[in-house]
Amino acid sequence: MFPDLTGQLHVREQQGLRRQRAVMTGQQSVRVVIDNRSYLSFCSNDYLGLASHPELIQAACEGARQYGVGAGASHLINGHSMAHHALEQALASFTGFPAALAFSTGYMANMGVITALAGRNDAIFADRLNHASLNEAALLSRARLIRYPHCDTVALERRLAASTCRRKLIVTDAVFSMDGDIAAVNRLIELCEQYDAMLLLDDAHGFGVLGDKGRGILFSPAGGGLHSERIISRVIYMATLGKAAGVFGAFVAAAEEVVETLIQTAKGYIYTTASPPLLAHALLKSLERIENDDWRRDKLYRLIKLLKIELQPLKWQLMPSNTPIQPLVIGKALDTVRVSNSLKDKGILVPAIRQPTVPQGTARLRISLSAVHEEADILFLADALRQIAAVDGVYG
Ligand SMILES: *Cc1c(COP(=O)(O)O)cnc(C)c1O
């Protein structure tokens, strides 16, 4: 064993940075069971409450009977099933792009897209708060990684204007995963046109939640609500299927040439076993629910509004976010862990997010809302937080 591992783990522990995995016994939902105890959970990315929806479970079982449990090969050998193919067509049409490609995970999709489209002589312009997978992918691509301050399109423009690189790829989270705020997509597309760049839009947290029928950020006011040739020629749209869609996987939707290039060259697509077709089969059912259940999004937005009102008087502030990601900033990592633990004692799970996931000094409780939460759940959380905040001198 490397002799310094024990010491490093110990330091982590002392700084409140050692992570622990809770072992869940039942289904993912707003009530979860850990160590025989039931908790009200504000942890998951299952924003629409589809992860344990009976229709999806039934579709997964049906899919297993029809396709077996494993794909058995990569897509380019013979693992590409009818279910994958139908899902890709449905996703392309749902998001308004000519073509879509299913990946096993969002992490792999980002790796695949960025390394296939950018190389040594190219430049990647990345928002400072982008998801880790986008940063890792940029490093792996060997392109120049040029980061810009969070959502600062003026600073981005200066960097674009100064670049003489062959290809310019702007990369951003659509909804920022730890802050819940939204990228200025319209402005980013304008900059792409002005500086002959392309935009990789990671809508992991927007797909299913934002826009008309849950079609994602491009169909929301931030994306202009108007989908056109102009967007198709500049945007590579990526979203995950393990969050609001409730299942697993990810996809990229884009122009035909982009998707074909990914099929030919994206290593995270080529050199991996296709995901089980039963998942694609279940995802077709999930898409139906996303498209038809406006009530899930309506309810989610009512709950967000209620949470903001209820937490307003607290000494800790919610970050400005209109998405189901509602971060409550506590500050120090140790304090944040303590508040999170106190909530747990009261039967409520809210994750403490610390460095390196977020900048030091901005540790926060990341409250995630779901359409299957009830108003009473929000009131219960708010009450618990008020009680914890009232314990004087302990936090601050
Ligand atoms: C979750 C997430 C990913 C990774 O997706 P997985 O399917 O979980 O691998 C990528 N980007 C963002 C912004 C995410 O939040």
Side-chain angles (χ1 to χ4, degrees):
M1 197 182 71
F2 296 122
D4 47 346
L5 293 186
T6 314
Q8 282 171 356
L9 287 171
H10 185 67
V11 169
R12 235 171 226 284
E13 178 85 49
Q14 287 194 317
Q15 293 174 335
L17 297 178
R18 183 156 178 177
R19 314 265 186 112
Q20 240 121 31
R21 301 173 304 167
V23 181
M24 301 243 305
T25 21
Q27 298 181 345
Q28 180 64 270
S29 189
V30 295
R31 313 249 162 226
V32 298
V33 177
I34 294 164
D35 292 336
N36 287 323
R37 186 170 170 199
S38 171
Y39 293 92
L40 170 62
S41 163
F42 293 92
C43 297
S44 88
N45 306 309
D46 179 25
Y47 303 121
L48 300 180
L50 294 177
S52 50
H53 192 293
E55 280 183 25
L56 270 72
I57 294 170
Q58 200 194 330
C61 296
E62 212 177 83
R65 278 190 291 273
Q66 194 170 340
Y67 300 102
V69 291
S74 65
H75 284 277
L76 296 188
I77 302 300
N78 78 340
H80 188 65
S81 88
M82 204 170 94
H84 295 121
H85 209 69
L87 177 65
E88 289 178 346
Q89 285 172 343
L91 288 167
S93 119
F94 189 58
T95 56
F97 282 89
L101 190 66
F103 279 80
S104 294
T105 71
Y107 200 106
M108 289 167 77
N110 284 339
M111 287 280 168
V113 172
I114 291 178
T115 57
L117 298 183
R120 262 185 213 292
N121 301 312
D122 305 324
I124 293 168
F125 300 84
D127 189 290
R128 272 207 181 278
L129 296 192
N130 275 351
H131 190 260
S133 59
L134 296 167
N135 295 331
E136 292 294 315
L139 293 178
L140 188 63
S141 75
R142 299 182 180 84
R144 273 195 69 184
L145 174 57
I146 301 165
R147 299 173 87 195
Y148 58 89
H150 180 49
C151 285
D152 187 343
T153 51
V154 175
L156 169 61
E157 179 164 16
R158 277 199 299 275
R159 288 160 172 74
L160 283 166
S163 172
T164 55
C165 285
R166 186 184 64 140
R167 287 184 185 167
K168 303 183 184 79
L169 181 64
I170 303 172
V171 171
T172 187
D173 283 21
V175 176
F176 287 85
S177 53
M178 296 303 141
D179 292 45
D181 58 343
I182 288 178
V185 177
N186 276 319
R187 181 66 191 137
L188 293 174
I189 293 170
E190 281 171 13
L191 289 174
C192 282
E193 289 171 331
Q194 203 173 337
Y195 295 94
D196 195 21
M198 284 193 81
L199 172 66
L200 169 58
L201 199 52
D202 177 341
D203 202 18
H205 298 276
F207 181 75
V209 172
L210 298 180
D212 176 47
K213 301 280 171 204
R215 286 167 210 263
I217 189 148
L218 289 168
F219 293 83
S220 76
L226 167 130
H227 208 42
S228 63
E229 262 319 303
R230 185 180 157 233
I231 288 178
I232 291 164
S233 68
R234 293 289 171 187
V235 176
I236 301 151
Y237 180 81
M238 174 274 177
T240 59
L241 299 169
K243 290 175 178 159
V247 187
F248 188 71
F251 71 97
V252 174
E256 295 276 5
E257 295 88 333
V258 171
V259 169
E260 191 56 29
T261 300
L262 295 178
I263 294 173
Q264 302 305 320
T265 67
K267 296 197 174 71
Y269 183 75
I270 299 170
Y271 298 107
T272 194
T273 302
S275 66
L278 72 91
L279 299 181
H281 193 75
L283 279 161
L284 284 165
K285 183 58 74 181
S286 166
L287 267 188
E288 274 177 35
R289 294 275 58 85
I290 290 173
E291 187 167 3
N292 295 319
D293 290 359
D294 277 334
W295 69 264
R296 292 179 194 270
R297 283 176 289 277
D298 294 345
K299 186 163 167 219
L300 205 40
Y301 286 102
R302 277 205 309 279
L303 295 174
I304 292 169
K305 210 181 270 176
L306 179 64
L307 181 80
K308 287 186 182 190
I309 294 168
E310 286 293 317
L311 298 195
Q312 179 70 37
L314 275 185
K315 62 179 172 185
W316 305 305
Q317 291 300 300
L318 281 173
M319 294 180 76
S321 156
N322 290 313
T323 66
I325 301 170
Q326 292 288 321
L328 188 70
V329 178
I330 309 290
K332 291 188 191 128
L334 279 168
D335 290 338
T336 311
V337 171
R338 248 179 297 180
V339 179
S340 177
N341 286 341
S342 303
L343 284 170
K344 192 172 176 196
D345 292 341
K346 294 175 186 291
I348 303 172
L349 297 184
V350 184
I353 309 288
R354 297 152 269 179
Q355 66 266 29
T357 310
V358 296
Q360 198 161 2
T362 70
R364 64 200 68 173
L365 295 176
R366 182 173 177 272
I367 303 168
S368 297
L369 298 179
S370 164
V372 290
H373 278 123
E374 295 302 334
E375 290 190 358
D377 297 332
I378 308 292
L379 300 181
F380 189 65
L381 169 66
D383 195 46
L385 280 168
R386 276 192 294 270
Q387 287 173 27
I388 294 166
V391 179
D392 254 333
V394 180
Y395 312 101

